[in-house]
Amino acid sequence: MGVWKIDKKRLNQNIPLLVMFVPVVLFFLIFKYLPMFGLMIAFKDYNFTDGVLHSPWVGLNNFITLFHQSQTLNIIRNTLVLSLLSLIFGFPVPIILAILLNEVRRMWFKKFVQTVVYLPHFLSWVVVGGLVLTIFSMESSAINHWIERRFGEPYPFLYNPGSWIAVFVASGVWKEMGFNAIIYLAALSSIDPSLYESAAIDGAGKLKQIWHVTLPGIQTTIVLLVILAIGKVMDVGFDPVFNLQNNVVSSVSEVISTYVYRVGVQQGQFSLTSAMGLFESVVSFLLVLSANGIARKFKQGLW
């Protein structure tokens, strides 16, 4: 009875928090868990007439058909290459940017730089894609006008597979580096300033302070974001690829998300693309488990 009274008291104290949590639970139930019901069409020959429930079961035939297509492995390879390059080149940039901003002592300059680097995050990929196409256009860009005057002919940045990948990765890094730096700036604010003073008294310069104080101070945040980023390796995103790709570089720009749109939405092969989506989700789940398992060996795991 005494225990019940204590629980009831704690429940009453936390009612406002529980009420605030209800919309979050509803969001995940409606938009995250309920759509999983549709994954069953990956194992069915789905058609509009019979619907999701009454379409005939085909077992693993959709997966067999998917992996017997010559383009499937190429699509998976492109997805992994673009995602891993974005992770390798894009992950350290917000950390470096946050550390540099943390060292700035003039507040007006710090706020100005923060505002400038945050802004691209709020632009849609349609706008960013338009900017990139304008900047690297063969006919009208200032860069290619200079190259043409210097070397005689413009360079096809967006029509060469290697340079297209570089432009794609760089545009993604530019768009998100400012917003991602916010998390690291918040983590940096939790570091005790006396640690820097002690390091300075011991003769440590700025670089040594960053190495021995700053990076260990945000180590947990870095590991957390690495695990989350690895979970998205199979999801390179639809908007950035769709807005920047063209037929000339389709050998490197066709990824899982554009394949799902082209085959599933445009050609109506919903079962086949559901199988691809399920494969993508399973691999992402295994990658998150693996990354967390490695992090646990260094006592930095999430669970």
Side-chain angles (χ1 to χ4, degrees):
M1 186 68 179
V3 175
W4 167 250
K5 285 183 178 178
I6 292 173
D7 290 341
K8 189 175 180 181
K9 183 180 178 182
R10 292 184 63 185
L11 180 65
N12 290 333
Q13 288 174 341
N14 290 291
I15 282 178
L17 295 176
L18 293 173
V19 171
M20 291 170 63
F21 192 59
V22 169
V24 178
V25 174
L26 291 176
F27 171 81
F28 276 92
L29 286 176
I30 295 172
F31 295 106
K32 299 297 181 182
Y33 289 101
L34 194 59
M36 289 185 184
F37 171 74
L39 283 176
M40 71 168 65
I41 68 173
F43 304 95
K44 289 191 167 192
D45 183 14
Y46 174 75
N47 61 79
F48 283 113
T49 306
D50 296 327
V52 175
L53 292 177
H54 301 292
S55 294
W57 292 94
V58 295
L60 297 176
N61 284 358
N62 288 320
F63 293 92
I64 294 171
T65 303
L66 184 66
F67 286 99
H68 274 81
Q69 293 180 347
S70 58
Q71 59 179 343
T72 301
L73 292 179
N74 188 48
I75 289 168
I76 294 173
R77 185 204 65 187
N78 291 343
T79 305
L80 287 174
V81 168
L82 293 179
S83 290
L84 289 175
L85 287 176
S86 298
L87 179 63
I88 292 170
F89 291 101
F91 193 80
V93 174
I95 300 174
I96 296 170
L97 179 62
I99 292 174
L100 291 176
L101 287 173
N102 193 53
E103 295 297 326
V104 175
R105 293 293 172 262
R106 294 183 182 277
M107 290 306 296
W108 67 268
F109 181 73
K110 184 177 181 178
K111 290 181 179 179
F112 172 75
V113 175
Q114 283 179 319
T115 304
V116 170
V117 295
Y118 290 169
L119 281 178
H121 171 77
F122 299 101
L123 300 176
S124 73
W125 267 108
V126 177
V127 177
V128 174
L131 289 172
V132 171
L133 295 178
T134 302
I135 291 171
F136 294 102
S137 166
M138 284 188 67
E139 295 81 15
S140 58
S141 72
I143 294 176
N144 262 324
H145 282 169
W146 180 84
I147 292 175
E148 191 172 11
R149 285 197 300 272
R150 186 73 175 79
F151 300 101
E153 58 182 16
Y155 186 80
F157 289 102
L158 300 173
Y159 301 101
N160 180 292
S163 58
W164 184 90
I165 292 175
V167 170
F168 174 84
V169 173
S171 59
V173 173
W174 171 76
K175 187 176 185 300
E176 299 299 337
M177 65 178 183
F179 192 79
N180 291 337
I182 294 175
I183 301 172
Y184 296 110
L185 282 171
L188 286 170
S189 66
S190 65
I191 298 176
D192 188 350
S194 64
L195 295 175
Y196 290 105
E197 294 171 4
S198 301
I201 292 172
D202 289 341
K206 281 296 179 187
L207 289 179
K208 285 190 176 180
Q209 290 180 29
I210 291 171
W211 183 256
H212 293 289
V213 179
T214 305
L215 289 178
I218 60 174
Q219 182 181 8
T220 305
T221 305
I222 293 174
V223 172
L224 168 65
L225 294 180
V226 165
I227 293 174
L228 295 177
I230 289 175
K232 296 180 179 177
V233 161
M234 290 295 288
D235 181 17
V236 72
F238 173 76
D239 290 348
V241 180
F242 185 74
N243 283 288
L244 295 177
Q245 71 175 176
N246 57 69
N247 292 332
V248 180
V249 293
S250 61
S251 61
V252 296
S253 65
E254 186 75 350
V255 295
I256 291 176
S257 55
T258 55
Y259 171 83
V260 169
Y261 170 74
R262 183 170 54 80
V263 177
V265 178
Q266 293 185 329
Q267 299 179 14
Q269 299 185 46
F270 301 108
S271 295
L272 200 60
T273 51
S274 294
M276 177 63 94
L278 183 57
F279 167 76
E280 176 186 352
S281 300
V282 170
V283 173
S284 298
F285 180 65
L286 293 176
L287 287 173
V288 170
L289 290 180
S290 303
N292 188 66
I294 295 172
R296 284 179 63 184
K297 292 186 180 298
F298 297 96
K299 299 181 180 179
Q300 297 290 335
L302 293 181
W303 67 86

